[in-house]
Coordinates of all heavy atoms in Angstrom, one line a residue:
P1 N -0.3 -2.5 6.9 CA 0.6 -1.8 5.9 C 0.6 -0.3 6.0 O 1.7 0.4 5.8 CB 0.0 -2.2 4.5 CG -1.3 -2.8 4.8 CD -1.3 -3.3 6.2
M2 N -0.5 0.3 6.5 CA -0.5 1.8 6.7 C 0.5 2.1 7.8 O 1.3 3.1 7.7 CB -1.9 2.2 7.1 CG -2.0 3.7 7.4 SD -3.7 4.3 7.7 CE -4.0 3.5 9.2
R3 N 0.5 1.4 9.0 CA 1.4 1.6 10.0 C 2.8 1.4 9.7 O 3.7 2.2 10.0 CB 1.0 0.8 11.2 CG -0.3 1.2 12.0 CD -0.5 0.3 13.1 NE -1.7 0.6 13.9 CZ -1.8 1.6 14.8 NH1 -0.8 2.2 15.1 NH2 -3.0 1.8 15.4
L4 N 3.1 0.3 9.0 CA 4.5 0.1 8.6 C 5.0 1.1 7.6 O 6.2 1.4 7.6 CB 4.6 -1.4 8.1 CG 4.4 -2.5 9.1 CD1 4.6 -3.9 8.4 CD2 5.2 -2.3 10.4
T5 N 4.1 1.4 6.6 CA 4.6 2.5 5.7 C 4.9 3.8 6.4 O 5.9 4.5 6.0 CB 3.5 2.7 4.6 OG1 3.3 1.5 3.9 CG2 3.8 3.8 3.7
H6 N 4.0 4.1 7.3 CA 4.3 5.4 8.1 C 5.6 5.3 8.8 O 6.4 6.3 8.8 CB 3.1 5.6 9.1 CG 3.2 6.9 9.8 ND1 3.8 7.1 11.0 CD2 2.7 8.2 9.4 CE1 3.7 8.3 11.4 NE2 3.0 9.0 10.5
A7 N 5.9 4.2 9.5 CA 7.1 4.0 10.1 C 8.3 4.0 9.2 O 9.4 4.6 9.6 CB 7.1 2.6 10.9
A8 N 8.2 3.5 8.0 CA 9.3 3.4 7.1 C 9.6 4.8 6.5 O 10.8 5.2 6.2 CB 9.0 2.4 6.0
L9 N 8.5 5.6 6.3 CA 8.7 6.9 5.5 C 9.6 7.9 6.2 O 10.4 8.6 5.6 CB 7.4 7.5 5.3 CG 6.6 7.0 4.1 CD1 5.2 7.5 4.1 CD2 7.3 7.3 2.8
G10 N 9.6 7.9 7.6 CA 10.3 8.8 8.3 C 11.9 8.7 8.0 O 12.5 9.6 7.6
A11 N 12.3 7.4 8.2 CA 13.8 7.2 8.0 C 14.1 7.3 6.5 O 15.2 7.8 6.1 CB 14.2 5.9 8.5
M12 N 13.2 6.8 5.6 CA 13.5 6.8 4.2 C 13.6 8.3 3.6 O 14.5 8.6 2.9 CB 12.4 6.1 3.4 CG 12.5 4.6 3.6 SD 11.2 3.7 2.6 CE 11.7 1.9 2.9
L13 N 12.6 9.1 4.0 CA 12.7 10.5 3.5 C 13.8 11.3 4.1 O 14.4 12.1 3.4 CB 11.4 11.2 3.9 CG 10.1 10.7 3.2 CD1 8.9 11.3 3.8 CD2 10.2 11.0 1.7
A14 N 14.2 10.9 5.3 CA 15.4 11.6 5.9 C 16.7 11.3 5.1 O 17.6 12.1 4.9 CB 15.6 11.2 7.4
R15 N 16.8 10.0 4.6 CA 17.9 9.6 3.9 C 17.8 10.0 2.4 O 18.8 10.1 1.7 CB 18.0 8.1 3.8 CG 18.4 7.4 5.2 CD 18.8 5.9 4.9 NE 17.9 5.2 4.1 CZ 16.8 4.5 4.6 NH1 16.6 4.5 5.9 NH2 16.1 3.8 3.8
G16 N 16.6 10.2 1.9 CA 16.4 10.6 0.6 C 16.3 9.5 -0.4 O 16.3 9.6 -1.6
H17 N 16.0 8.2 0.1 CA 15.8 7.1 -0.7 C 15.2 5.9 0.0 O 15.3 5.8 1.2 CB 17.1 6.7 -1.4 CG 18.2 6.4 -0.5 ND1 18.4 5.1 0.1 CD2 19.3 7.2 -0.1 CE1 19.5 5.2 0.9 NE2 20.0 6.4 0.8
G18 N 14.4 5.1 -0.8 CA 13.8 4.0 -0.2 C 12.7 3.5 -1.1 O 12.2 4.2 -2.0
R19 N 12.3 2.2 -0.9 CA 11.2 1.7 -1.8 C 10.3 0.9 -0.9 O 10.6 0.1 0.0 CB 11.8 0.8 -2.9 CG 12.8 1.4 -3.8 CD 13.1 0.6 -5.0 NE 14.1 1.2 -5.9 CZ 13.9 2.1 -6.8 NH1 12.7 2.6 -6.9 NH2 14.9 2.5 -7.5
I20 N 9.0 1.1 -1.2 CA 7.9 0.4 -0.4 C 7.0 -0.3 -1.4 O 6.6 0.2 -2.5 CB 7.1 1.4 0.4 CG1 8.0 2.1 1.5 CG2 5.8 0.7 1.1 CD1 7.2 3.3 2.1
I21 N 6.8 -1.6 -1.2 CA 6.0 -2.5 -2.0 C 4.8 -2.9 -1.2 O 4.9 -3.4 -0.1 CB 6.7 -3.7 -2.5 CG1 7.9 -3.3 -3.4 CG2 5.7 -4.6 -3.3 CD1 8.8 -4.5 -3.7
N22 N 3.6 -2.6 -1.7 CA 2.3 -3.0 -1.1 C 1.7 -4.1 -2.0 O 1.2 -3.7 -3.1 CB 1.4 -1.9 -0.8 CG 1.8 -0.8 0.2 OD1 2.4 -1.2 1.3 ND2 1.6 0.4 -0.1
V23 N 1.7 -5.3 -1.5 CA 1.2 -6.4 -2.3 C -0.4 -6.3 -2.3 O -1.0 -6.6 -1.2 CB 1.7 -7.8 -1.9 CG1 1.0 -8.8 -2.7 CG2 3.2 -7.8 -2.0
A24 N -1.0 -5.9 -3.4 CA -2.4 -5.8 -3.4 C -3.0 -6.9 -4.3 O -2.5 -8.1 -4.1 CB -2.8 -4.4 -4.0
S25 N -3.8 -6.7 -5.3 CA -4.4 -7.8 -6.0 C -5.2 -7.2 -7.2 O -5.6 -6.0 -7.1 CB -5.3 -8.7 -5.2 OG -6.1 -9.5 -6.0
V26 N -5.4 -7.9 -8.3 CA -6.3 -7.5 -9.4 C -7.7 -7.3 -8.8 O -8.5 -6.6 -9.4 CB -6.2 -8.4 -10.6 CG1 -4.9 -8.3 -11.2 CG2 -6.7 -9.8 -10.2
A27 N -7.9 -8.0 -7.7 CA -9.3 -7.8 -7.0 C -9.6 -6.4 -6.7 O -10.7 -6.0 -6.4 CB -9.3 -8.7 -5.8
A28 N -8.5 -5.5 -6.6 CA -8.7 -4.1 -6.3 C -9.5 -3.4 -7.4 O -10.1 -2.4 -7.2 CB -7.3 -3.4 -6.2
F29 N -9.5 -4.0 -8.6 CA -10.2 -3.4 -9.7 C -11.5 -4.1 -10.1 O -12.2 -3.7 -11.0 CB -9.3 -3.4 -11.0 CG -7.9 -2.8 -10.7 CD1 -6.8 -3.7 -10.4 CD2 -7.7 -1.5 -10.7 CE1 -5.6 -3.1 -10.2 CE2 -6.5 -0.9 -10.4 CZ -5.4 -1.7 -10.1
I30 N -11.8 -5.2 -9.4 CA -13.0 -6.0 -9.6 C -13.7 -6.2 -8.3 O -13.1 -6.7 -7.4 CB -12.6 -7.3 -10.3 CG1 -11.8 -7.1 -11.6 CG2 -13.8 -8.2 -10.5 CD1 -11.1 -8.4 -12.1
P31 N -15.0 -5.9 -8.2 CA -15.7 -6.1 -6.9 C -15.6 -7.5 -6.5 O -15.9 -8.5 -7.1 CB -17.2 -5.7 -7.3 CG -17.1 -4.9 -8.5 CD -15.9 -5.3 -9.3
R32 N -15.1 -7.7 -5.3 CA -14.8 -9.0 -4.8 C -14.9 -9.0 -3.2 O -13.9 -9.1 -2.5 CB -13.5 -9.6 -5.2 CG -13.3 -11.1 -4.9 CD -12.1 -11.6 -5.7 NE -11.9 -13.0 -5.3 CZ -12.4 -14.1 -5.8 NH1 -13.4 -13.9 -6.8 NH2 -12.1 -15.3 -5.4
S33 N -16.1 -8.7 -2.6 CA -16.3 -8.7 -1.2 C -15.3 -7.8 -0.5 O -14.8 -6.8 -1.1 CB -16.3 -10.1 -0.6 OG -16.7 -10.1 0.7
T34 N -15.0 -8.1 0.7 CA -14.1 -7.2 1.5 C -12.7 -7.3 1.1 O -11.8 -6.4 1.3 CB -14.2 -7.4 3.0 OG1 -14.1 -8.8 3.2 CG2 -15.6 -7.0 3.5
Y35 N -12.3 -8.4 0.5 CA -10.9 -8.6 -0.1 C -10.6 -7.6 -1.1 O -9.6 -6.9 -1.0 CB -10.7 -10.0 -0.6 CG -9.3 -10.3 -1.0 CD1 -8.3 -10.6 -0.1 CD2 -9.0 -10.3 -2.4 CE1 -7.0 -10.8 -0.5 CE2 -7.6 -10.6 -2.8 CZ -6.7 -10.8 -1.8 OH -5.4 -11.1 -2.1
G36 N -11.5 -7.4 -2.1 CA -11.3 -6.4 -3.1 C -11.4 -5.0 -2.6 O -10.6 -4.1 -3.0
A37 N -12.2 -4.8 -1.6 CA -12.2 -3.4 -1.0 C -10.9 -3.1 -0.2 O -10.4 -2.0 -0.4 CB -13.4 -3.4 0.1
C38 N -10.4 -4.1 0.5 CA -9.1 -3.8 1.2 C -8.0 -3.5 0.2 O -7.2 -2.6 0.3 CB -8.7 -5.0 2.0 SG -9.7 -5.2 3.5
K39 N -7.9 -4.4 -0.9 CA -6.9 -4.2 -1.9 C -7.1 -2.9 -2.7 O -6.1 -2.3 -3.1 CB -6.8 -5.4 -2.8 CG -6.5 -6.7 -2.1 CD -5.2 -6.6 -1.4 CE -4.7 -8.0 -0.8 NZ -3.4 -7.9 -0.1
G40 N -8.4 -2.5 -2.9 CA -8.6 -1.2 -3.5 C -8.0 0.0 -2.7 O -7.5 0.9 -3.3
W41 N -8.1 -0.1 -1.4 CA -7.5 0.9 -0.5 C -6.0 0.9 -0.8 O -5.4 2.0 -0.9 CB -7.9 0.6 0.9 CG -7.4 1.7 1.9 CD1 -8.1 2.8 2.3 CD2 -6.0 1.8 2.4 NE1 -7.3 3.6 3.1 CE2 -6.0 3.0 3.2 CE3 -4.9 1.0 2.4 CZ2 -4.9 3.4 3.9 CZ3 -3.8 1.5 3.1 CH2 -3.8 2.6 3.9
L42 N -5.4 -0.2 -0.8 CA -3.9 -0.3 -0.9 C -3.5 0.4 -2.2 O -2.5 1.1 -2.3 CB -3.5 -1.7 -0.9 CG -3.0 -2.3 0.4 CD1 -2.5 -3.7 0.2 CD2 -1.9 -1.5 1.1
V43 N -4.2 0.1 -3.3 CA -3.9 0.7 -4.6 C -4.0 2.1 -4.6 O -3.1 2.9 -5.1 CB -4.7 0.0 -5.7 CG1 -4.6 0.8 -7.0 CG2 -4.3 -1.5 -5.9
S44 N -5.2 2.6 -4.1 CA -5.4 4.1 -4.1 C -4.3 4.8 -3.3 O -3.7 5.8 -3.6 CB -6.8 4.4 -3.5 OG -7.0 5.8 -3.4
F45 N -4.0 4.3 -2.1 CA -3.1 4.8 -1.2 C -1.7 4.9 -1.8 O -0.9 5.8 -1.8 CB -3.0 4.1 0.2 CG -1.9 4.6 1.1 CD1 -2.0 5.8 1.7 CD2 -0.9 3.7 1.5 CE1 -1.0 6.2 2.5 CE2 0.1 4.1 2.3 CZ 0.1 5.4 2.8
S46 N -1.3 3.7 -2.4 CA 0.0 3.6 -3.1 C 0.2 4.5 -4.2 O 1.3 5.2 -4.3 CB 0.3 2.1 -3.5 OG 0.2 1.3 -2.4
R47 N -0.8 4.7 -5.0 CA -0.7 5.6 -6.1 C -0.5 7.0 -5.6 O 0.2 7.8 -6.2 CB -2.1 5.5 -6.9 CG -2.0 6.4 -8.2 CD -3.3 6.2 -9.0 NE -3.3 5.0 -9.8 CZ -4.3 4.0 -9.7 NH1 -5.3 4.2 -8.9 NH2 -4.2 3.0 -10.5

């Protein structure tokens, strides 16, 4: 998702519009092995 978001942003910012959805999980807010850690990264980055 980091690579695809980076790829999308160039064209979207040049046009002045676009939407990116990163499907995370409530596990981002609750310790849950590496799944929660990965989803926590997505939430922090998206915010």
Side-chain angles (χ1 to χ4, degrees):
M2 180 176 66
R3 287 182 180 275
L4 294 183
T5 297
H6 187 268
L9 278 171
M12 288 180 176
L13 291 171
R15 294 195 310 270
H17 54 85
R19 300 192 187 277
I20 297 171
I21 298 173
N22 292 320
V23 178
S25 168
V26 294
F29 308 99
I30 302 169
R32 193 169 172 84
S33 191
T34 52
Y35 184 77
C38 289
K39 296 305 188 179
W41 185 93
L42 266 183
V43 169
S44 179
F45 175 67
S46 299
R47 184 180 281 123

